[in-house]
């Protein structure tokens, strides 16, 4: 089978057998997870375009690999029509440029940079604290063409542009929050680019892009993000950055590969911690047993056995007392956040502030400043703190949100991995639910994620949770109805009033 390559697609041309075509189409088809929830959704999604006989060029390496395994093997030939847009600048010159701003790439950053340059397209899998932006800037300096750096939030645009200016002393363009300034280097949100996708100015700009970088590239599977990357016909270089590039639960990680290519460099958080570049997480799974009732809608189940569970919330408070301060406590439901904030203040006597989606960037930054000054001990936060927030001085955290997402799990714990003076370890407490299959399975998924990342974990029973009677599923009520019935002393549960 022969394929003609462009920067965006691989086109099938020349002679091929029906068997070979059937194999290719089958390989490029995957199950649609939406079909599990929506009877009107397609059961299968194909990356093979039957009209122009093409597929996203990022899939080419996987197609070649699987073709060799096919029975009989399928021979793949390629005609590459792409034009290399620039010549590489030597590493010595790039290192000198960075040294002017007192930056020296770490050995693994050099390896990641070389892998990206050699592959021309692909994903760099690096944990929080690895210095992904430094690698990205070095890549843009090494390959001096017209680059577009795409992210999914205006905060990340500002952070990336600021870092680029600091490391290079050069200006850059921005497409975000109503701004549309272009140049050789542009930082932009997917949303802002997509909103102007049909305008002549945006079309002209995207035609001229020769290299694209995508931070938090696991987001590429979103329909609008995937669409944006399909409008870059001259983007020869394509590189994704993420700690969790292929860890989506909806089977759509394949779309990240389709647009950007396979993982070409990988380093786990455990490996980075062993080298002393990030803090070493000490993960404690605090066990809470609840014999949950079946037959409930999931939202009702979450409300009863997570948000309003006296036993589970007692374990959260125990985790708060165990972790080093200052720290974060993660929640999912806003009601749960308000409840935990109140309990931490009233039951533990600690100062805290709640931050969630309704808070502006300025308000979030103000809360972090208070935490740094130790005006407060804890920030109780939602998913708005899972990315784009650097808190090097953070010493501990509690996951009260539960869940099974690999991406959410690693992004939450990632908030505390950056080093600061005197910091070597980071205390992470995860509420380990047992008893009910839903919660227990989610706990097992998170525990597996920690181990896969290279983190040492230990399970211990929550003594404070054990002091509170479990929910009585048959009677439909708790035997203990108020957290105030539990006495706290020195940040812990002392006894139980009946």
């Amino acid at each position: 089978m022969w394929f003609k390559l462009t920067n965006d697609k691989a086109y099938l041309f020349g002679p091929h057998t029906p068997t070979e075509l059937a194999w290719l189409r089958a390989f490029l088809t995957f199950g649609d997870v939406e079909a599990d929830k929506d009877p009107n959704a397609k059961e299968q999604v194909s990356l093979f375009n039957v009209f122009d006989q093409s597929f996203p060029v990022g899939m080419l390496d996987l197609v070649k690999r699987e073709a060799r395994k096919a029975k009989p093997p399928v021979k793949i030939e390629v005609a590459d029509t792409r034009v290399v847009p620039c010549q590489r600048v030597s590493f010595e010159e790039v290192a000198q440029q960075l040294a002017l701003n007192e930056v020296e790439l770490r050995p693994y950053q050099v390896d990641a940079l070389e892998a990206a340059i050699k592959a021309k397209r692909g994903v760099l899998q690096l944990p929080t604290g690895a210095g992904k932006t430094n690698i990205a800037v070095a890549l843009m300096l090494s390959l001096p063409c017209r680059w577009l750096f795409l992210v999914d939030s205006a905060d990340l645009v500002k952070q990336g542009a600021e870092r680029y200016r600091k490391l290079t002393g050069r200006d850059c363009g921005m497409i975000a929050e109503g701004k549309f300034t272009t140049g050789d280097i542009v930082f932009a949100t997917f949303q802002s680019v997509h909103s102007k996708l049909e305008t002549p100015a945006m079309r002209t700009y995207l035609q001229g892009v020769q290299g694209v970088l995508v931070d938090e590239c696991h987001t590429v599977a979103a329909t609008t993000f995937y669409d944006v990357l399909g409008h870059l016909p001259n983007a020869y270089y394509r590189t994704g950055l993420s700690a969790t590039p292929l860890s989506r639960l909806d089977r759509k990680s394949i779309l990240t590969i389709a647009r950007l290519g396979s993982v070409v460099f990988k380093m786990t958080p455990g490996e980075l911690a062993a080298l002393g570049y990030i803090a070493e997480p000490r993960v404690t799974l605090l066990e809470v047993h609840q014999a949950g009732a079946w037959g409930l809608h999931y939202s009702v189940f979450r409300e009863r056995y997570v948000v309003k569970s006296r036993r589970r919330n007692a374990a959260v408070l125990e985790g708060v007392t165990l972790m080093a301060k200052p720290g974060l406590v993660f929640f999912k439901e806003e009601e749960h956040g308000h409840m935990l904030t109140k309990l931490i203040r009233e039951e533990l006597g600690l100062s805290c502030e709640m931050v969630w989606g309704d808070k502006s960037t300025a308000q979030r930054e103000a809360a972090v400043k208070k935490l740094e000054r130790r005006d407060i001990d804890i920030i109780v936060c939602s998913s708005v703190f899972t990315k784009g927030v650097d808190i090097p001085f953070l010493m501990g955290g509690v996951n009260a949100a539960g869940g099974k997402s690999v991406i959410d799990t690693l992004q939450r714990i990632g908030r505390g991995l950056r080093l600061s003076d005197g910091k070597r370890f980071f205390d992470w407490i995860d509420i380990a639910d047992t008893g009910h299959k839903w919660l227990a399975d989610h706990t097992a998924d998170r525990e597996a994620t920690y181990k896969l990342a290279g983190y040492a974990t230990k399970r211990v029973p929550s003594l404070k949770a054990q002091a509170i009677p479990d929910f009585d599923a048959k009677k439909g009520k708790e035997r203990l109805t108020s957290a105030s019935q539990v006495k706290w002393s020195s940040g812990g549960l002392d006894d139980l009033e009946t």
Side-chain angles (χ1 to χ4, degrees), residues 5-9 57-58 78-88 116-122 139 143-148 206-213 229 231-240 258-261:
L5 304 188
T6 68
N7 290 312
D8 191 41
K9 293 182 177 182
V57 75
V78 171
D80 195 342
T81 65
R82 297 174 294 179
V83 177
V84 180
C86 63
Q87 295 298 312
R88 176 184 178 174
I117 293 172
K118 179 180 179 181
K120 301 180 179 61
R121 65 177 58 222
L139 181 60
L143 301 169
C145 58
R146 291 188 293 276
W147 284 94
L148 173 61
L206 295 179
Q207 286 278 339
V209 171
Q210 298 166 315
V212 61
L213 277 154
L229 290 172
H231 286 78
L232 299 168
N234 296 308
Y236 179 79
Y237 299 109
R238 300 179 181 228
T239 301
R259 287 299 191 214
L260 299 173

Side-chain angles (χ1 to χ4, degrees), residues 168-346:
T168 66
R170 305 173 187 176
D171 201 5
C172 58
M174 292 178 62
I175 304 176
E177 297 185 321
K179 297 180 181 179
F180 188 175
T181 58
T182 61
D184 287 340
I185 307 295
V186 175
F187 288 79
T189 64
F190 277 103
Q191 297 90 329
S192 293
V193 173
H194 191 267
S195 69
K196 297 179 173 63
L197 207 53
E198 300 305 321
T199 65
M202 183 60 75
R203 291 270 182 167
T204 300
Y205 167 68
L206 295 179
Q207 286 278 339
V209 171
Q210 298 166 315
V212 61
L213 277 154
V214 181
D215 197 12
E216 305 293 354
C217 66
H218 52 268
T219 61
V220 165
T223 302
T224 54
F225 295 8
Y226 188 81
D227 190 30
V228 166
L229 290 172
H231 286 78
L232 299 168
N234 296 308
Y236 179 79
Y237 299 109
R238 300 179 181 228
T239 301
L241 303 162
S242 177
T244 53
L246 307 179
S247 300
R248 296 177 64 97
L249 298 175
D250 57 6
R251 306 175 197 159
K252 292 183 178 179
S253 291
I254 195 70
L255 299 179
T256 299
I257 296 175
R259 287 299 191 214
L260 299 173
S262 303
V263 173
V264 296
F265 183 85
K266 179 180 179 180
M267 175 165 278
T268 68
E271 290 170 338
L272 205 58
L275 292 172
Y277 290 117
I278 60 174
E280 182 180 341
R282 298 186 290 199
V283 179
T284 300
L285 296 157
L286 206 55
E287 291 183 333
V288 179
H289 183 85
Q290 296 184 98
W294 284 98
L296 299 175
H297 187 277
Y298 187 69
S299 62
V300 176
F301 178 84
R302 284 274 309 181
E303 180 181 30
R304 180 178 294 178
Y305 293 100
V306 176
V307 176
K308 293 183 178 180
S309 168
R310 305 299 179 185
R311 173 173 278 206
R312 194 178 191 279
N313 285 336
V316 173
L317 296 184
E318 183 177 357
V320 171
T321 63
L322 290 173
M323 74 176 183
K325 316 294 186 300
L328 300 178
V329 176
F330 282 96
F331 65 88
K332 181 180 180 182
E333 293 85 356
E334 184 179 333
E335 180 184 7
H336 198 201
H338 286 294
M339 184 179 297
L340 291 175
T341 301
K342 185 173 185 291
L343 287 171
I344 290 169
R345 288 172 178 165
E346 295 181 357

Side-chain angles (χ1 to χ4, degrees), residues 305-426:
Y305 293 100
V306 176
V307 176
K308 293 183 178 180
S309 168
R310 305 299 179 185
R311 173 173 278 206
R312 194 178 191 279
N313 285 336
V316 173
L317 296 184
E318 183 177 357
V320 171
T321 63
L322 290 173
M323 74 176 183
K325 316 294 186 300
L328 300 178
V329 176
F330 282 96
F331 65 88
K332 181 180 180 182
E333 293 85 356
E334 184 179 333
E335 180 184 7
H336 198 201
H338 286 294
M339 184 179 297
L340 291 175
T341 301
K342 185 173 185 291
L343 287 171
I344 290 169
R345 288 172 178 165
E346 295 181 357
E347 305 292 335
L348 301 184
L350 296 172
S351 57
C352 64
E353 188 167 322
M354 178 177 162
V355 177
W356 72 107
D358 286 352
K359 297 288 187 179
S360 66
T361 299
Q363 289 173 313
R364 296 198 293 268
E365 291 174 349
V368 172
K369 287 293 185 184
K370 290 180 184 178
L371 197 68
E372 184 176 14
R373 295 193 303 264
R374 292 305 300 268
D375 294 340
I376 57 176
D377 301 300
I378 293 164
I379 294 177
V380 181
C381 56
S382 68
S383 59
V384 296
F385 262 45
T386 56
K387 57 186 175 182
V389 179
D390 291 334
I391 315 177
F393 56 86
L394 199 68
M395 299 302 293
V398 175
N399 176 27
K404 62 180 181 178
S405 167
V406 173
I407 294 172
D408 289 345
T409 298
L410 293 181
Q411 286 188 331
R412 286 172 183 145
I413 193 173
R415 295 311 96 204
L417 298 186
R418 297 188 188 276
L419 293 173
S420 60
D421 290 343
K423 176 181 174 182
R424 181 184 171 192
F425 299 102
F426 174 66

